[in-house]
Amino acid sequence: NVLLPVGGFAAFFASIAYSWMSLAPDAPALEYVLNPAYAALVAATLVAPTYAILTLLPGRREKLEKLLLASFLAGMPVVYLWAALRADNADGALVEFVGLLVFVFWAVLGYRRSTMLLGLGIVAHGIAWDAWHHNQVTYIEPWYPLGCFLVDIAFGLAVAAQVHRHRSSAQHTVQGDVPDSRMRSSA
């Protein structure tokens, strides 16, 4: 079924477009490199087509997919830590460092264990971390937690859709692309 992966990627790209067009105010060009919130949105914009291309290439490159997902998951809390350090907020930096440790651990575990675990980590970042930051901290751009939440949820859905597609594809390969074993025996 191709609808699930297409829908996952459509949500992922739509969340990024919405963040750019409706959430993130225009900023000077240098902000896209020096401001953690804008730099993260640029990074997500680059990761989205990279992940889509990886999943569309013939032959699965699971280790490369997992490396990209693990890097994204481990990098997300860096944005908040960078913002707290940039604002000289020591208490915030301590909280963000703890978050960094949690999500880096999750990224390493997911890389070693499963793509789905990485997708769940990305969703968990949105639900647990971005939602908590929304209207709670002053050292990150006020639009960023919502934008990151939307991107994380949509990216997690795209990852889950890809995992489902790969599992379905593997099952069809094992079964010889014949949906019913009775059809094989009667041939």
Side-chain angles (χ1 to χ4, degrees), residues 65-181:
E65 287 178 32
K66 286 169 55 174
L67 180 61
L68 179 68
L69 296 171
S71 299
F72 188 84
L73 177 56
M76 289 188 296
V78 170
V79 175
Y80 288 110
L81 177 58
W82 177 13
L85 291 171
R86 188 173 183 231
D88 201 26
N89 186 318
D91 292 338
L94 180 62
V95 169
E96 303 305 342
F97 182 71
V98 170
L100 177 68
L101 293 176
V102 168
F103 288 105
V104 166
F105 175 77
W106 197 326
V108 170
L109 186 66
Y111 179 78
R112 291 184 175 177
R113 300 261 170 112
S114 80
T115 304
M116 185 59 90
L117 192 56
L118 291 166
L120 290 172
I122 292 168
V123 169
H125 181 270
I127 292 171
W129 213 238
D130 295 319
W132 174 77
H133 281 82
H134 187 65
N135 293 328
Q136 296 295 320
V137 298
T138 58
Y139 47 81
I140 192 79
E141 298 292 333
W143 58 266
Y144 181 76
L146 177 59
C148 191
F149 172 83
L150 295 172
V151 168
D152 291 353
I153 300 302
F155 194 9
L157 291 174
V159 171
Q162 289 306 309
V163 169
H164 176 72
R165 182 177 73 93
H166 290 302
R167 284 184 183 156
S168 295
S169 176
Q171 286 175 346
H172 286 294
T173 302
V174 168
Q175 295 173 356
D177 287 323
V178 178
D180 188 344
S181 61

